[in-house]
Amino acid sequence: MWSLFASNPDKQRDFLYRQDEKNGFPLFYILSEQEPEANVDLWQIESKEYKPLLSTGQKLVFSLRANPIVTRWDEDENGKPHQHRHDVVMDAKTRMEKEVISKKQETSSSRNSPERGI
């Protein structure tokens, strides 16, 4: 999506999009003040003016698809802070697996350590 609005690389994202499907193929609806630029032949773009007529008290319906993430920070090889973004479910699963491995290692090392007699 970003490549369709690449005329200014420093620009903040100022568009919304929704992915749908039509006849088994992906279909995207984009809402933006700027018209998208097809810089590759991958996209077939059709543009329409969007000026909804809204009134006070009118009820609107929408759907939302969100991908919640968690951001973890560490340092790269030069000591500079570096962020990693992870899906919250996969992040929780990975943390739980690490805890299980850590507990198994603790249990294993306590069994293998010699007992001291007095």
Side-chain angles (χ1 to χ4, degrees), residues 73-112:
W73 289 88
D74 63 9
E75 292 181 353
D76 66 13
E77 61 275 356
N78 299 322
K80 295 173 85 176
H82 190 265
Q83 72 176 2
H84 301 273
R85 293 183 178 159
H86 304 280
D87 174 272
V88 292
V89 174
M90 288 305 294
D91 182 69
K93 180 181 175 189
T94 302
R95 287 186 13 218
M96 287 173 51
E97 288 172 349
K98 286 180 181 179
E99 288 176 17
V100 168
I101 291 170
S102 176
K103 287 180 182 178
K104 284 182 180 180
Q105 288 174 345
E106 288 173 12
T107 303
S108 175
S109 65
S110 66
R111 286 185 192 156
N112 295 334

Side-chain angles (χ1 to χ4, degrees), residues 1-87:
M1 291 298 138
W2 277 100
S3 65
L4 299 174
F5 301 95
S7 61
N8 182 353
D10 296 328
K11 191 173 186 176
Q12 296 289 319
R13 188 179 95 175
D14 62 350
F15 61 91
L16 299 174
Y17 71 93
R18 182 181 92 197
Q19 181 178 353
D20 211 339
E21 189 176 297
K22 184 176 183 180
N23 300 326
F25 292 98
L27 174 68
F28 294 90
Y29 295 98
I30 301 173
L31 177 62
S32 173
E33 290 184 8
Q34 177 184 342
E35 192 167 332
E37 299 173 12
N39 47 13
V40 292
D41 292 334
L42 180 66
W43 305 99
Q44 178 184 348
I45 297 177
E46 298 175 19
S47 296
K48 297 179 183 178
E49 190 171 307
Y50 180 71
K51 289 191 176 185
L53 299 173
L54 303 175
S55 59
T56 303
Q58 182 179 4
K59 294 184 181 184
L60 304 174
V61 178
F62 67 94
S63 64
L64 173 66
R65 179 179 175 182
N67 183 23
I69 61 164
V70 62
T71 302
R72 303 273 183 222
W73 289 88
D74 63 9
E75 292 181 353
D76 66 13
E77 61 275 356
N78 299 322
K80 295 173 85 176
H82 190 265
Q83 72 176 2
H84 301 273
R85 293 183 178 159
H86 304 280
D87 174 272

